[in-house]
Structure formats: structure tokens, C-alpha cells
Amino acid sequence: MIQSLRIRLAAGAMVAIVFILLLVGFGLSRVFSNYVAERYRVECATIIDQLAAALELRDGKAVLEKTPTDPRFNLPGSGRYWQITPATGAALRSRSLWDVELPADLPRADHGFMAAEGPDGAGLFVYRRQIALDDEGGSHGFMLSAAFDRSELDDAVAQFHSTMALMLVLTAAVLVAAAIFQVGVGLSPLARLQQRVGLVRSGQANSVEDVGASELRPLVSELNLLLTERETAVERARARASDLAHGLKTPLTVLLQLTDHLPPAQKKLARQQVDLVRQRADRQLQSARLGVEQMARTELAPLVGKLVSVLKPVTQSRNVDWEIHIDERLTADMDAADLAEALGNVLDNAARYALGRIHIAAIVADGAIVITVEDDGPGIAPHELATLPSRGRHLGADDEGSGLGLSITAEILAAYAGAMELEGSRLGGLAVRLRVPLRT
């Protein structure tokens, strides 16, 4: 089944146009054929009237005092013929029939004529009328015939058909073009509706504006009601997430304080587990926001600037140089909190292992924003790059951290149909590329 509404409407219009034009063509053909045949019948009837007016009986024989004046009757095979056939005796006929005599019994043909064969075998249409003349000897019957070449009527109809076919084809082309234009104009409100919905999806509008078509206003109204309900649900989810975050904060703080009374080995393990619970809770709260906050847009350069300003004190003792090359106009189609967490985990790892240089750049390539973070740290062996984003994997050999940073970043990017790539850096350490698709 055809899925395109535009193709359906255009195809329906074309079928209707072809059907109607066929009916019009058939009707015009019948009207024109009947009109031409009627003109020939009138001409033949006039000839017969002339013959009947000039026919007389002399001594019981038919005499034609005056023949029709059309000169074609005197030219053999000219296309115009007449004949007077008495009940008995020889027939009178025009010179144009030459040596052909029209039979008394002729088959019926089209348009109310009879069919006969004329000079040189040409087909004729014959029109006849019976009359009777009276004299002293009684009543005498005569059959008056007027004929013309059948090809004249057939050629006239054929010429009309060819001209009409050309006109109908041109008319069909104009009507099809008009139908396609009309379909385009008629569906234009749907295109505007798509644009308005796209603005809502990209975060540039909070509701769908009226597209001008009364038929679509109920749909626009329903969409706006859906957006209102969705916004309400998002606010509720945020409130619940905030309540959960605050609810976990105090118990985790108490647990951290209690770990101070444990032996050193157990203290370190307990702190790691508490930190793991905290990060997993944060991750679940972040996941709750994913999918409901993806209409936001975030200016990339200011966000990176804020993250770097937070991490610079950590690297100040090692004199790490932060290089940032990001266009101020670049905007990512991500919620600011999601992008900050995804990028913050990568920058935190770079800040932890960089020896003296961290390079951050962002470009637009292949329909996506590619953010690259490179450092000159010790790097990772090539065979370990594929498993590094797995939960619990550490960049270093120590036990610091939970090993969730890069896995969380990968999950956030996946929620936005993006991806994270790891490879060796040209600076000597690790290069992490975050790819965020651009919405169209």
C-alpha cells in the first residue's frame, strides 16, 4: 500500500482526470459524429427533394425534367451520386455513378445510412426515400437515392478524433500539473506543522503554533495538550529526583563519618563502596532525566570553560597547560547537565593523568559535533582501549575512583544517539572523542 499521502492524492487526481477526460472524449466523439452525419443526411434529403420535384411521368415513363445542379453529379466517381429506381424498368442515375447501379436491397450502415459500393469499388453511404406518382395508368412507385463517399464522413470524424486527442492530452497535462500543485498547496500546512513540531523538539518553542488550516487545528490543540502534560510529568520527575537525591545525601554522609572509626583497610573499602553507591544513585537520577530533557540546547564553549575552571586547580601544581579550541557559536543538542556530566568525566580523567598538556577541540563533521579531549599522560595500551569504557575499569593502576566515569559518559551519549571513541593521542596519552548527532 502506498504510504505517501502526496502520492495517494496525486494518483487519485490523475485517475479521476483520465476517467473524466475519457468520458468527455467519448461524448464529444458521439456528438461530433452525429452532427456530421446529420449534415450529410440533410444534404442527401435536399438532393432527393430536388429529384422528387423534377420527376414526372410521360406515357407511363419516368422523366426527369431538371437534374440537380451540383457539377459533381456529372463527373464519374466525384463523390456525389443520385439514382431513381422505378418499380419496373430502367433506373435513372447520375453520370457520376458511371456504370454502377445501386441495388434495391442494401444493408444498413452507421448513422442511419445504407452501405453500397460505388465506382472504383469506393464505399458509399446511401440515403433513400420512397415516393409514388399517379397518372391515367394508375400509381407508380419510385425509390429515390442520394449517396456520397463514405470516406468523407470517416475522414472528417478521424480528423476530429486526432485533434480532440491532442487537445485532451494537453488538457490532461494541464490538469495533472494543476492537481500536483493543488496537492502541494493542500499539504503545505502539514509541512508547516512539521517545522513547528521540530522547533518544539529542538527546544526553540514550548508549544506548536497554529498552522492556518482549520482542519489541523484540532490536531495542533491535541499536540499542545500533550506537550503540557509532558512538561508536567517532567517537572514531577525532576521533583522526585531532587527528593531522592536529598534523601540519599544525609544517610551517605553519616556512613562516611562512621567509616572514620574503622581500621584503615576497612575504612578505604567502606569509602569506596559508599562512593560507588553515590555514583550509581547519581547515574540513575541522570538516566531518569534522559529522554525527557533532550529538547534542550547547550552552548558548548561556555560549558567547557566552566568545567575547565573547576579542574584547573587540580592540575596547577603540575603546571598543566589547558588548550581550548571551540567556536563560540557552537551549540550541542543536549541537556546542559547531561553534557556536563559526560564531558566532565572525560576531563576529570585527563586532568588526573596529564603530565603537562590537555587539548580540547570541537568541530562539526558528518552531521555531528565531535568533541576531542587529548592529554600527554601515560596513555593506554591499544588492546585495552575496547574494554576501557566497561563499568569498573580504571585508567590507572591504583584503586582510586569507581571506574564508572567513562561508562557513564558512554551511556549518556548513547541516550542521545551519540558515541564515544577512544584512541591514542598525538600528544602521547589518550584521545577521547565524543560524537553528538545534530538534529535537522
Side-chain angles (χ1 to χ4, degrees):
M1 184 176 181
I2 298 176
Q3 299 295 324
S4 172
L5 184 59
R6 186 183 303 273
I7 295 177
R8 286 187 190 180
L9 293 175
M14 291 179 188
V15 171
I17 289 171
V18 171
F19 178 72
I20 292 173
L21 289 181
L22 287 176
L23 288 180
V24 170
F26 177 77
L28 288 177
S29 174
R30 292 295 300 271
V31 170
F32 181 79
S33 299
N34 292 337
Y35 172 78
V36 173
E38 181 61 25
R39 301 313 303 167
Y40 277 103
R41 280 195 294 270
V42 170
E43 181 182 348
C44 291
T46 301
I47 295 171
I48 289 177
D49 289 340
Q50 293 175 2
L51 293 174
L55 183 63
E56 292 184 357
L57 288 174
R58 293 179 184 176
D59 300 329
K61 293 183 179 181
V63 177
L64 196 61
E65 290 186 349
K66 183 181 179 181
T67 61
T69 59
D70 192 332
R72 288 178 292 181
F73 291 123
N74 297 319
L75 182 64
S78 64
R80 289 296 182 275
Y81 315 96
W82 59 264
Q83 179 175 299
I84 301 174
T85 306
T88 59
L92 301 176
R93 61 180 184 271
S94 63
R95 183 174 177 81
S96 56
L97 279 173
W98 197 241
D99 58 350
V100 174
E101 182 175 335
L102 299 177
D105 186 18
L106 292 177
R108 291 286 179 180
D110 298 332
H111 310 293
F113 294 104
M114 297 180 179
E117 186 175 322
D120 300 327
L124 303 181
F125 273 146
V126 181
Y127 185 79
R128 282 181 164 173
R129 185 190 302 166
Q130 295 279 354
I131 66 171
L133 296 178
D134 298 329
D135 63 0
E136 296 81 355
S139 179
H140 301 272
F142 297 90
M143 181 181 291
L144 306 183
S145 302
F148 61 92
D149 283 347
R150 179 172 184 166
S151 60
E152 290 185 20
L153 192 150
D154 291 341
D155 290 345
V157 173
Q159 184 176 3
F160 173 78
H161 283 169
S162 62
T163 304
M164 181 183 65
L166 177 60
M167 294 302 298
L168 290 179
V169 169
L170 293 177
T171 302
V174 173
L175 291 178
V176 167
I180 293 175
F181 175 76
Q182 184 179 10
V183 168
V185 173
L187 294 181
S188 59
L190 291 178
R192 291 196 297 271
L193 179 60
Q194 180 184 7
Q195 294 175 354
R196 303 289 167 78
V197 173
L199 292 177
V200 174
R201 184 174 63 88
S202 63
Q204 301 180 43
N206 295 323
S207 62
V208 180
E209 297 181 8
D210 187 10
V211 294
S214 59
E215 292 80 3
L216 292 179
R217 285 173 185 168
L219 176 60
V220 172
S221 177
E222 291 297 327
L223 285 175
N224 286 329
L225 289 175
L226 179 62
L227 290 172
T228 301
E229 293 177 0
R230 178 184 179 281
E231 185 177 358
T232 302
V234 169
E235 292 300 328
R236 290 176 179 174
R238 288 175 176 172
R240 291 174 181 174
S242 178
D243 293 343
L244 178 59
H246 286 291
L248 290 175
K249 186 175 181 180
T250 300
L252 290 177
T253 302
V254 173
L255 289 176
L256 283 176
Q257 293 175 354
L258 293 176
T259 59
D260 293 337
H261 303 288
L262 296 175
Q266 297 178 359
K267 176 181 178 180
K268 182 177 181 180
L269 178 60
R271 283 184 173 273
Q272 288 180 352
Q273 296 303 314
V274 170
D275 186 57
L276 181 61
V277 171
R278 176 185 294 165
Q279 291 198 41
R280 287 186 176 178
D282 290 342
R283 180 70 231 122
Q284 293 303 316
L285 294 176
Q286 190 69 23
S287 297
R289 294 202 306 267
L290 290 176
V292 297
E293 295 184 346
Q294 293 188 24
M295 294 189 302
R297 286 189 171 185
T298 303
E299 295 182 354
L300 189 56
L303 178 64
V304 173
K306 291 179 182 179
L307 294 174
V308 171
S309 65
V310 172
L311 292 172
K312 260 188 177 182
V314 178
T315 61
Q316 190 171 6
S317 61
R318 287 174 284 145
N319 295 322
V320 174
D321 183 21
W322 293 78
E323 300 176 356
I324 303 176
H325 298 281
I326 298 177
D327 190 337
E328 295 290 337
R329 299 168 297 180
L330 202 56
T331 302
D333 292 323
M334 288 184 66
D335 176 68
D338 294 337
L339 183 57
E341 181 171 1
L343 188 56
N345 291 332
V346 177
L347 293 178
D348 181 64
N349 286 329
R352 183 179 303 175
Y353 296 103
L355 299 177
R357 186 181 175 191
I358 297 175
H359 180 82
I360 307 170
I363 61 172
V364 176
D366 299 329
I369 295 179
V370 181
I371 307 171
T372 304
V373 179
E374 299 181 83
D375 64 69
D376 62 349
I380 300 296
H383 66 275
E384 295 182 348
L385 290 176
T387 60
L388 188 57
S390 301
R391 285 183 174 270
R393 292 282 287 118
H394 296 268
L395 286 173
D398 54 35
D399 293 330
E400 294 182 7
S402 61
L404 294 174
L406 293 181
S407 66
I408 291 175
T409 297
E411 290 176 5
I412 294 175
L413 292 176
Y416 286 89
M420 179 180 69
E421 301 172 359
L422 304 177
E423 61 183 31
S425 170
R426 56 185 176 83
L427 302 181
L430 180 66
V432 181
R433 286 186 173 82
L434 311 182
R435 187 177 299 273
V436 182
L438 289 174
R439 289 197 290 265
T440 56

